[in-house]
Amino acid sequence: MTKHMTRKQLNSRVVDEIDRNLRQAFDDMAQQPVPDRFTDLLAQLKAAEDKKNSGGQQDA
């Protein structure tokens, strides 16, 4: 058996390394807090939905 990797083995290792790096990047990003502007927007949308569901519909 030789110490040289086949092209398929090399490609597999490259793909595995890319997968690991992408997972790490997305995991890091997922740990970041949600920006205030998004939580504010979600609160506004929830308030509008609650108002609509309680019968207080207004024309847009």
Side-chain angles (χ1 to χ4, degrees):
M1 186 164 172
T2 65
K3 292 185 179 185
H4 298 289
M5 294 179 69
T6 66
R7 183 177 300 270
K8 187 175 182 177
Q9 289 170 322
L10 182 58
N11 287 341
S12 178
R13 287 187 69 182
V14 169
V15 168
D16 289 345
E17 185 67 21
I18 291 170
D19 285 346
R20 275 192 296 277
N21 288 331
L22 285 172
R23 286 179 199 275
Q24 183 63 46
F26 283 112
D27 287 344
D28 291 347
M29 188 171 60
Q31 298 301 316
Q32 299 296 318
V34 176
D36 290 341
R37 66 180 185 258
F38 291 131
T39 55
D40 292 345
L41 178 58
L42 289 171
Q44 291 173 12
L45 290 170
K46 182 173 181 352
E49 186 174 317
D50 289 348
K51 187 175 184 179
K52 178 182 173 184
N53 290 336
S54 69
Q57 270 184 303
Q58 292 182 340
D59 292 335

